[in-house]
Amino acid sequence: MSEAIATIIKQKFPILIEPELLAEMEKYCTTRKLQAGTNFIEIGDKIIAMPLLISGSLKVVREDTEGNELLLYYLNGGETCATTLSCCLNNAKSEVRATVMEDITAILVPIACMDDWLKKYSSWRNFVMLSYRMRFEEMLQTIDSVAFKKMDERLEEYLKQRSSEINSSTIQGTHQEIADDLHTSREVVSRLLKQLEKLGRIKLSRNKIEILSLV
DNA sequence: ACATTAATTGTGT
DNA sequence: ACACAATTAATGT
């Protein structure tokens, strides 16, 4: 039924190279599938494994005391969740919620393997560090954008980022969802999108935005 | 094919 | 931010 884990890893996480590592993954890791709309990780969950996302997408959010969601980032195939990684390394409970946006397949690395592999395999170390670094830099960008940019610029950045993440110029979803991600009102998003459409830079239709020429 | 309805999007205040 | 209009997609007949 299911393909060998090592084969999938080679395709989606080519950074992991030691044959011994792949053999151990084959032995200890499991695969997991979840369908859109379900929660992969809930706030407060005890982390027992670290997910390597093969396909599909996840939305990772934090929640404030009033229950408002704050978007941290989207996760796509070939990526892993840096926040969960950090939880794994100090045996903590999850700080975040991860909701499945598109049906996912993930490989689960048991938390018990983490320490061991960090010692034994340099490519695993590199992978972990790289995941951290990339996510950290992305978050710095987000902070910049929240602090210094107006909503129209933030929206453009958001669109660009989403499209490059999923490798497609078409973004699925409603204006309301975008507004939630950006913490603004749906009307503001609709109006700004309309402006961009008038400029010929995007094309709007229901539940769908096509990006034509964002710089 | 048509009518009905619900969800999404557009716009004026 | 709110209220309402217009449009679109989905569904039943």
Side-chain angles (χ1 to χ4, degrees):
Chain A
M1 265 305 198
S2 67
E3 243 181 300
I5 288 180
T7 317
I8 305 176
I9 293 288
K10 267 187 215 162
Q11 281 173 20
K12 296 285 177 173
F13 296 88
I15 189 176
L16 302 172
I17 46 173
E18 290 96 340
E20 299 84 359
L21 171 61
L22 294 177
E24 286 210 56
M25 297 190 86
E26 193 71 61
K27 194 167 163 193
Y28 297 113
C29 296
T30 53
T31 56
R32 179 101 184 273
K33 286 173 193 283
L34 275 181
Q35 50 176 311
T38 54
N39 278 345
F40 183 53
I41 294 173
E42 185 49 82
I43 296 169
D45 276 3
K46 194 167 163 26
I47 303 294
I48 49 162
M50 184 183 117
L52 305 184
L53 194 54
I54 303 303
S55 63
S57 63
L58 286 164
K59 179 172 172 171
V60 181
V61 300
R62 263 173 73 79
E63 207 172 56
D64 71 7
T65 43
E66 275 116 48
N68 302 312
E69 285 192 344
L70 172 63
L71 171 72
L72 292 182
Y73 43 80
Y74 285 89
L75 273 182
N76 298 285
E79 298 179 332
T80 189
C81 178
T83 319
T84 304
L85 198 47
S86 119
C87 288
C88 282
L89 295 175
N90 54 44
N91 248 312
K93 290 184 175 171
S94 180
E95 310 259 337
V96 300
R97 164 160 48 236
T99 311
V100 180
M101 304 305 284
E102 298 165 294
D103 298 7
I104 57 161
T105 308
I107 288 180
L108 300 182
V109 180
I111 191 168
C113 293
M114 301 284 298
D115 275 345
D116 193 34
W117 291 0
L118 282 174
K119 283 179 210 140
K120 287 202 281 195
Y121 303 115
S122 67
S123 80
W124 181 256
R125 274 198 299 280
N126 289 339
F127 170 65
V128 168
M129 291 312 283
L130 185 66
S131 303
Y132 264 128
R133 199 168 55 93
M134 292 198 332
R135 197 60 68 193
F136 187 73
E137 275 171 17
E138 187 188 296
M139 290 225 199
L140 282 185
Q141 267 207 322
T142 309
I143 292 176
D144 275 355
S145 141
V146 170
F148 301 126
K149 298 194 172 165
K150 299 201 188 67
M151 189 50 75
D152 57 342
E153 295 176 283
R154 288 183 58 199
L155 178 61
E156 275 196 50
E157 226 161 65
Y158 173 92
L159 294 174
K160 273 185 275 183
Q161 185 163 38
R162 287 291 301 278
S163 87
S164 79
E165 275 173 6
I166 58 177
N167 236 335
S168 150
S169 59
T170 309
I171 293 170
Q172 297 277 346
T174 66
H175 299 179
Q176 183 64 62
E177 285 165 359
I178 298 174
D180 291 343
D181 284 350
L182 262 38
H183 282 122
T184 180
S185 69
R186 195 272 308 163
E187 290 92 326
V188 168
V189 171
S190 289
R191 284 182 167 125
L192 291 172
L193 285 172
K194 200 79 210 159
Q195 284 186 10
L196 284 175
E197 185 179 45
K198 284 206 182 106
L199 293 171
R201 310 186 45 188
I202 60 176
K203 180 157 184 344
L204 294 176
S205 38
R206 195 188 170 102
N207 290 320
K208 187 160 72 105
I209 300 168
E210 270 185 80
I211 291 171
L212 302 175
S213 68
L214 290 183
V215 191

